Amino acid sequence: MAFKLTGEDACKKPLPTPIPNPYWVAFSAASARLIDLSLGRDNLPSDPTWLEVLAGNNPINHSEIFPNPISTAYSGHQFGVWAGQLGDGRAILLGEMAGQELQLKGAGKTRFSRMGDGRAVLRSSIREFLCSEAMYALGIPTTRALSIVGSDLPVRRESVETAAVCARLAPSFIRIGHFEHFASLQNTPRLKELADLLINEHYPECKQSQNNYLDLFTRICERNATLAAQWQSVGFCHGVLNSDNISVLGLTMDYGPFGFMDQFQIDHICNHSDQGGRYAYHRQPQVMHWNMACLASAMMPLIELTADVDEAEKLLRSALEQFPLIYAKTWQSLFRKKLGLASSLDRDMDLIERLLQAMHESRIDFTNFFRKLSDVKAGATVDQIPLRDNFINRPAIDQWFSDYLIRLNEESSDDLHRKQRMDEVNPKYILRNHLAQVAIDKAKEKDFSEVATLLRVLEKPFEEQPQYESYSYPPPADLSRIEVSCSS
């Protein structure tokens, strides 16, 4: 198991709390292949006891498969404020299979639940399950979702809902908060043990570095800078980018009040609990950078093992300054690809920024615009482009399309090859909130067919799938303002 730290300051050994009469809500065959889990014809585990295991109902602490389930302690900053010790309040790590950690979310109280009940609800479990697999299909690093097991057990949130347990997979669930935890306790031996574990199992290239802990920090920054750029490129908002929700492997994790934008809004807030807009779309890169600064502070004692305080600060500051450079380079590359530009010119940034500003002002559907942009022919005239009709400021967008056509004609590839390239990076299908809500509403009536259908669609986001064309449509007016919160 990747998280091998032991002791009172590292982890506790909880026993999952059984749920009555569990039943399958959803299952990902693709994720099951990651752990070599044998499936039957119905794409469910061929061994029926897995329903009980993934519900948290087996006496797992006596199981030969998962003898030592744990929940881990971590600390962190929440909405920019130090929150002290947190920990896996509703997550129980069962163990490792085929290099993947298997974790149950919602399987009952742990030592770190504080005032919580340790449960997850059907609504939030469906959203996390679908988005985890959707993000993977989009090519964005993420934890994976294996299953949802439901129960009629009542759970109180903003209203009374029913319980569900979501099984998650990742090479490791270690987060920035784990480093912050040991740093806050001034427990440098444990901090070093954690960093060494991470290097040995996930960053072996750091072993060859002259300063392996600084190199580890640098590589974590690189991964998360790239991740933030990838989120921006598909219009994804995480919702709660607290430092304890940030993976040190650069994975999207802890899906709560997330959302893919429908109408593009630069300052879009997907979490109605975020009244100050700290985690709005346009602030995600800045906040991720801030979280890397939290990690730098936590790793400071490790850098001081081979350098004095001033030198350690200088080294970490220099490494941290690379974050915005890596982010900007990745972001520019991704948006050039979205526009179908194979070459790179300095004026491309002006073209991209003007387009996003125009989309913001006219609230253009982010996903559909870029998908349909591949239909524009380099030899077209501006008045032959239907997309312009959706913009309020016609003179401005006409000028933009005029400049875009000039830019396309500077490229060497033909329209067909450019369209193929664009359709490989501009998805047709994303997990829109209204689609998730339809699936949730049906699931509440014990109809899980829409969850399965959405999974099939989202597993192939770049394909046309004509039978599911309606799943690419923007939300109807009555479903365009679905709100999610930290309980989602």
Side-chain angles (χ1 to χ4, degrees):
M1 187 167 57
F3 201 102
K4 296 186 177 70
L5 296 180
T6 59
E8 289 301 306
D9 58 351
C11 61
K12 303 286 185 178
K13 295 183 178 180
L15 182 65
T17 306
I19 53 176
N21 304 314
Y23 47 79
W24 292 114
V25 173
F27 193 88
S28 169
S31 291
R33 287 192 287 271
L34 288 174
I35 56 174
D36 301 325
L37 187 59
S38 176
L39 303 182
R41 292 182 180 179
D42 53 3
N43 271 338
L44 292 172
S46 53
D47 181 351
T49 63
W50 272 97
L51 175 61
E52 296 292 325
V53 172
L54 297 179
N57 285 11
N58 260 8
I60 297 174
N61 61 330
H62 301 300
S63 167
E64 293 181 1
I65 304 176
F66 303 118
N68 294 302
I70 63 170
S71 290
T72 63
Y74 54 80
S75 301
H77 291 80
Q78 297 191 328
F79 288 88
V81 178
W82 176 248
Q85 180 178 303
L86 301 165
D88 291 323
R90 54 176 175 169
I92 298 175
L93 182 60
L94 299 187
E96 183 184 278
M97 292 183 68
Q100 296 284 322
E101 292 184 353
L102 175 59
Q103 186 183 81
L104 299 184
K105 181 176 180 178
K109 283 188 176 182
T110 75
R111 300 283 184 88
F112 309 109
S113 295
R114 295 177 288 172
M115 301 299 292
D117 57 14
R119 291 297 183 192
V121 296
L122 181 64
R123 164 179 50 90
S124 61
S125 298
I126 288 174
R127 285 173 54 81
E128 173 155 358
F129 175 87
L130 289 173
C131 198
S132 299
E133 295 306 281
M135 293 289 271
Y136 172 75
L138 289 169
I140 298 175
T142 179
T143 57
R144 301 292 298 276
L146 177 63
S147 65
I148 305 173
V149 176
S151 169
D152 293 337
L153 178 72
V155 176
R156 180 171 292 279
R157 290 296 181 265
E158 293 169 348
S159 60
V160 176
E161 304 183 52
T162 56
V165 178
C166 183
R168 311 191 291 189
L169 296 170
S172 174
F173 286 95
I174 296 176
R175 47 189 84 210
I176 289 176
H178 286 109
F179 280 87
E180 290 188 286
H181 178 67
F182 294 121
S184 69
L185 297 175
Q186 298 182 340
N187 193 334
T188 302
R190 276 298 163 86
L191 196 63
K192 183 178 183 299
E193 186 181 352
L194 178 61
D196 289 342
L197 169 70
L198 201 57
I199 289 172
N200 289 333
E201 300 203 5
H202 302 289
Y203 290 92
E205 62 275 18
C206 294
K207 293 180 182 179
Q208 310 304 320
S209 174
Q210 291 182 343
N211 191 331
N212 54 352
Y213 299 129
L214 180 65
D215 193 26
L216 174 63
F217 172 75
T218 300
R219 292 175 186 273
I220 293 173
C221 282
E222 289 174 352
R223 289 195 187 187
N224 281 291
T226 300
L227 179 66
Q230 290 176 295
W231 289 347
Q232 302 301 96
S233 75
V234 295
F236 175 78
C237 299
H238 184 281
V240 190
L241 285 176
N242 295 330
S243 64
D244 59 290
N245 292 339
I246 307 300
S247 162
V248 294
L249 298 187
L251 306 175
T252 313
M253 70 185 305
D254 287 355
Y255 292 91
F258 69 84
F260 285 89
M261 281 189 292
D262 295 311
Q263 296 179 343
F264 182 68
Q265 187 176 346
I266 292 172
D267 55 351
H268 174 70
I269 302 170
C270 72
N271 176 5
H272 78 72
S273 301
D274 183 12
Q275 297 180 355
R278 176 179 174 81
Y279 301 135
Y281 170 79
H282 69 305
R283 290 178 176 166
Q284 290 188 134
Q286 174 187 348
V287 170
M288 186 67 87
H289 189 197
W290 189 88
N291 284 325
M292 293 303 105
C294 291
L295 177 62
S297 179
M299 293 185 69
M300 182 74 171
L302 299 179
I303 311 302
E304 290 177 0
L305 293 176
T306 55
D308 61 34
V309 174
D310 291 341
E311 179 65 15
E313 287 182 353
K314 181 180 178 181
L315 290 170
L316 283 169
R317 187 178 301 111
S318 178
L320 190 60
E321 288 172 352
Q322 295 302 305
F323 180 98
L325 303 179
I326 296 168
Y327 169 79
K329 182 179 179 180
T330 307
W331 184 91
Q332 292 169 15
S333 175
L334 291 171
F335 272 87
R336 277 195 177 96
K337 291 177 180 178
K338 291 178 77 66
L339 292 182
L341 305 178
S343 60
S344 174
L345 297 178
D346 289 342
R347 71 175 190 273
D348 292 343
M349 290 308 98
D350 176 69
L351 196 68
I352 295 169
E353 290 170 359
R354 283 165 50 206
L355 172 61
L356 294 179
Q357 184 61 41
M359 292 176 68
H360 169 79
E361 292 171 354
S362 297
R363 297 296 191 265
I364 301 299
D365 189 275
F366 184 83
T367 301
N368 284 344
F369 175 85
F370 281 105
R371 182 70 178 191
K372 293 175 181 178
L373 190 63
S374 66
D375 293 329
V376 173
K377 304 293 191 296
T381 59
V382 171
D383 59 3
Q384 294 174 324
I385 302 174
L387 284 173
R388 61 198 276 270
D389 295 334
N390 298 318
F391 288 80
I392 296 171
N393 189 337
R394 289 294 291 272
I397 198 60
D398 284 356
Q399 183 60 58
W400 185 87
F401 273 114
S402 177
D403 295 340
Y404 179 58
L405 291 170
I406 292 171
R407 184 68 183 88
L408 290 184
N409 282 292
E410 295 172 339
E411 295 279 302
S412 58
S413 61
D414 58 36
D415 289 331
L416 178 59
H417 288 139
R418 177 172 50 81
K419 177 176 173 56
Q420 290 174 341
R421 291 199 318 270
M422 293 176 71
D423 287 351
E424 289 172 355
V425 298
N426 291 317
K428 181 164 185 173
Y429 301 97
I430 57 169
L431 181 59
R432 297 177 184 267
N433 273 341
H434 74 284
L435 298 177
Q437 191 60 49
V438 171
I440 290 167
D441 289 343
K442 288 187 176 182
K444 289 178 179 178
E445 302 299 322
K446 299 290 181 66
D447 178 357
F448 309 123
S449 61
E450 192 62 20
V451 177
T453 299
L454 259 181
L455 178 62
R456 284 196 299 272
V457 174
L458 295 170
E459 285 179 331
K460 300 177 180 179
F462 302 105
E463 297 184 15
E464 282 297 324
Q465 306 186 68
Q467 70 274 34
Y468 297 121
E469 182 70 21
S470 63
Y471 287 77
S472 69
Y473 296 166
D478 60 328
L479 293 177
S480 63
R481 295 294 180 182
I482 295 174
E483 291 188 333
V484 292
S485 69
C486 287
S487 69
S488 301

